[in-house]
Structure formats: structure tokens, C-alpha cells
Amino acid sequence: MGKFNKAGGRGMPELNTSSLPDLVFAILFFFMMVTTMREVTLKVQFRVPQATELQKLEKKSLVTFIYVGKPTSEFAAKMGTEPRLQLNDQFAEVSEVGSYIAQERSSMKEEDQPFMTVSIKGDYETKMGLVTDLKQALRKAYALKISYSARKRVD
């Protein structure tokens, strides 16, 4: 009969790390693809109103956002607490909306310009006078496709 020796000189085999760089690069590539960078730093605070009839915007590249709301706490001392417009990363007046729309339109491809949509992301407590003035300025700039951002009402 054979003799089995349990006191062998074998240790734990080393871990094979040859595929580790492939795994790290695959995970890095995954996060690079699914992460979106914030394009605009919000300087106004807004709570989106609720709605029942919502429609999702198809091509986000054709959408220009205008934010309406009270300045955040860091800007409230300088700008006040009245609702303000934010175009890109700057506070703006209603009179500046026309030049902003012209600038955004010129940065688009020529065939996409007729399909440009302006999305108003406004606080639900914003007075309609400011929103109406904004809509009039958009009308003068021939930005006639306007949408309002809202969240789905939960009953």
C-alpha cells in the first residue's frame, strides 16, 4: 500500500494577476461611458412643479435650458431673494434672452436650427409675470418651441 504524507512542503499557490490590467481598464471604460458631466453650475434653486401629462424630449442636443428661480444661499446676499433668470452659468435679465438664443442657435448645425427647443426649468413658486416676460422675449427671438420641465404627479 501507498503511504500518504500530509506534511508536504506545498504552500498556497500565487494569485495570477496577469488579467488585472484588462479588468481595471474595462471598469474605467464603463464609468467613462455612463458618467455625464454637469454642463451648467446652478446658481438658482428651483423645485420643479408636478404635472399629469408629461412628454419626454427626444433629442437633448436640440434643447436649450433657461433656469428661473431664487438665487442660492451663496448668491442671495449679492443678488437678493427675488426670482432671477440663469442662462448658462450667469444671471441674466429678460432683455438678454434674445442674444442668448441667437448665440445658442448659431452654435447648432444649420439643419438642426429649426428644431431648437427652449426648456424653461422654473420654480413652482415663481410669479407668472416673469415667465410671461420670458416667453415674450423668446417670441421676439423666434424661439417658438417652448417646453416646461415638470415631474410626474404621484397620487
Side-chain angles (χ1 to χ4, degrees):
M1 272 222 252
K3 199 173 189 186
F4 295 102
N5 188 3
K6 290 188 178 186
R10 290 192 216 169
M12 186 71 154
E14 287 189 29
L15 185 62
N16 185 5
T17 59
S18 63
S19 64
L20 190 61
D22 295 336
L23 181 65
V24 168
F25 284 118
I27 292 172
L28 179 65
F29 184 72
F30 169 76
F31 283 118
M32 285 173 47
M33 294 305 293
V34 299
T35 303
T36 58
M37 301 304 255
R38 181 173 284 193
E39 295 175 7
V40 176
T41 303
L42 291 178
K43 295 182 179 181
V44 296
Q45 49 185 307
F46 63 92
R47 291 170 293 188
V48 180
Q50 295 181 353
T52 55
E53 300 296 322
L54 298 176
Q55 188 175 18
K56 191 168 184 157
L57 294 173
E58 296 300 320
K59 288 185 86 176
K60 294 264 184 171
S61 63
L62 300 177
V63 179
T64 301
F65 294 98
I66 297 178
Y67 302 94
V68 182
K70 295 178 183 174
T72 57
S73 58
E74 63 184 278
F75 297 105
K78 185 168 50 168
M79 303 303 289
T81 58
E82 289 298 311
R84 303 286 306 240
L85 296 179
Q86 180 183 341
L87 308 174
N88 283 339
D89 284 334
Q90 297 178 349
F91 288 109
E93 298 296 325
V94 176
S95 60
E96 300 172 39
V97 171
S99 61
Y100 171 72
I101 294 298
Q103 175 190 1
E104 290 291 316
R105 191 175 282 142
S106 67
S107 68
M108 292 180 159
K109 295 179 187 172
E110 194 169 326
E111 61 268 8
D112 289 339
Q113 289 178 0
F115 303 109
M116 178 179 155
T117 302
V118 177
S119 178
I120 300 173
K121 288 190 169 194
D123 188 50
Y124 74 93
E125 292 180 346
T126 301
K127 303 284 186 210
M128 277 307 290
L130 180 60
V131 176
T132 304
D133 293 343
L134 175 60
K135 285 174 50 178
Q136 291 296 328
L138 290 171
R139 185 177 296 164
K140 288 178 185 174
Y142 297 104
L144 303 177
K145 291 180 75 175
I146 300 173
S147 71
Y148 297 96
S149 296
R151 60 188 159 108
K152 190 166 182 74
R153 175 177 283 165
V154 180
D155 292 328

